Amino acid sequence: MLNQIKVENLLFVDIETVSGNAVFEELSPKLQELWEKKSDYFRKEEESPSDVYGRAGIYAEFGKIVCISTGLVTKKNGEKRFVAKSYYGDDEKQLLEEFALMLDRFSSKPNRNLCAHNGKEFDFPYIARRMLINGVVLPGVLDIAGKKPWEVQFLDTMELWKFGDYKHYTSLALLCEIFGIPTPKDDIDGSMVGKVYWQDNDLERIAVYCEKDILATAQVFLRYQGEDLIPETNFERVLL
């Protein structure tokens, strides 16, 4: 079935998220109380809600999106190419509005799908929730309420790897390693994004890191199809 999907019809997506505020103490008293309750189940006995606030970024109710990277596989002179564009900045509502406009254009054509690694569990619902919180109208492709499973335009490289095994989790890094997909040695990883944003204020660095993930996701999908990889020299960034 995967070989029936044209990779050119997929929009590869990845997001980077951080806590909604730089530190726990900046939250309103009510949100501090709610974060304390939320963090109860993973906090160690000696840890305070403030100690674990760095983990707030993984929850759409307590975090925010600082970067959405998107990518398309194209062909030129018979060679596959990958074109990436990122939406990033301090103004979350603005980047979500820009992303929503692009999504509406992309999904207006038939047979279009979004693809992400663990996207069904994290990226797609997180984006939709943050859009609602920011008062951004959901693009049709994200407005899945009432849709039948086959009408939902989401593909997930992690879910595809499960083959029906509900308890199986495989990281993108592991898939790249076993499929022989070259990945550059990054100067940051996901656990460092909050620091790079709140302390270093280096959004460009975050965007570059995020774009490497969407390229890796596209390469994994091509491996699933038994296709050749995209040469690293055929990667192009579209700057805002």
Side-chain angles (χ1 to χ4, degrees):
M1 291 294 288
L2 279 179
N3 288 329
Q4 298 177 15
I5 298 173
K6 289 187 64 175
V7 71
E8 295 90 342
N9 284 335
L10 302 182
L11 181 72
F12 294 93
V13 178
D14 188 48
I15 66 175
E16 298 302 332
T17 65
V18 299
S19 56
N21 294 86
V23 293
F24 172 77
E25 289 71 23
E26 292 179 357
L27 293 175
S28 68
K30 186 62 178 177
L31 276 178
Q32 289 187 18
E33 176 188 335
L34 291 168
W35 173 248
E36 181 174 1
K37 291 180 180 178
K38 183 76 173 179
S39 61
D40 268 346
Y41 78 95
F42 61 79
R43 265 190 295 122
K44 297 178 182 177
E45 188 174 341
E46 67 274 14
E47 291 177 321
S48 70
S50 179
D51 292 335
V52 296
Y53 183 61
R55 296 178 62 176
I58 66 174
Y59 303 101
E61 300 83 5
F62 295 96
K64 69 174 183 176
I65 297 171
V66 295
C67 179
I68 305 176
S69 290
T70 62
L72 292 169
V73 176
T74 64
K75 285 186 179 178
K76 185 176 182 181
N77 300 325
E79 271 196 327
K80 294 188 189 75
R81 305 185 69 83
F82 191 79
V83 181
K85 181 177 181 178
S86 293
Y87 302 82
Y88 57 97
D90 298 312
D91 189 334
E92 185 187 34
K93 182 174 183 179
Q94 179 180 335
L95 74 85
L96 288 171
E97 287 174 336
E98 292 172 355
F99 177 69
L101 285 173
M102 183 277 296
L103 267 192
D104 278 331
R105 292 195 300 269
F106 172 81
S107 58
S108 64
K109 297 179 181 179
N111 302 315
R112 294 294 182 88
N113 287 281
L114 308 183
C115 185
H117 191 75
N118 199 29
K120 289 186 176 182
E121 184 71 24
F122 184 71
D123 302 76
F124 304 142
Y126 200 113
I127 292 170
R129 290 166 185 157
R130 292 308 302 175
M131 283 185 172
L132 293 180
I133 290 169
N134 281 279
V136 177
V137 177
L138 287 179
V141 68
L142 290 179
D143 190 4
I144 64 172
K147 288 185 178 179
K148 299 177 177 62
W150 57 87
E151 295 174 329
V152 177
Q153 297 165 265
F154 298 162
L155 285 175
D156 188 325
T157 48
M158 190 174 83
E159 182 184 71
L160 292 169
W161 185 247
K162 287 182 177 182
F163 291 94
D165 183 354
Y166 289 101
K167 65 183 181 298
H168 194 74
Y169 174 84
T170 307
S171 69
L172 182 59
L174 177 54
L175 287 174
C176 286
E177 182 65 24
I178 62 177
F179 277 112
I181 296 169
T183 54
K185 294 185 183 297
D186 292 311
D187 65 335
I188 64 170
D189 60 38
S191 67
M192 299 167 62
V193 170
K195 175 186 178 298
V196 173
Y197 178 75
W198 286 115
Q199 297 182 30
D200 303 338
N201 192 29
D202 196 343
L203 279 160
E204 178 67 18
R205 189 177 173 194
I206 293 171
V208 169
Y209 164 72
C210 196
E211 288 168 7
K212 291 174 182 176
D213 271 354
I214 55 168
L215 175 58
T217 304
Q219 301 281 43
V220 166
F221 189 85
L222 288 170
R223 281 296 197 215
Y224 287 174
Q225 292 186 313
E227 295 285 336
D228 293 333
L229 297 178
I230 301 167
E232 290 183 36
T233 53
N234 288 2
F235 175 82
E236 176 187 351
R237 293 188 75 202
V238 176
L239 301 178
L240 291 177

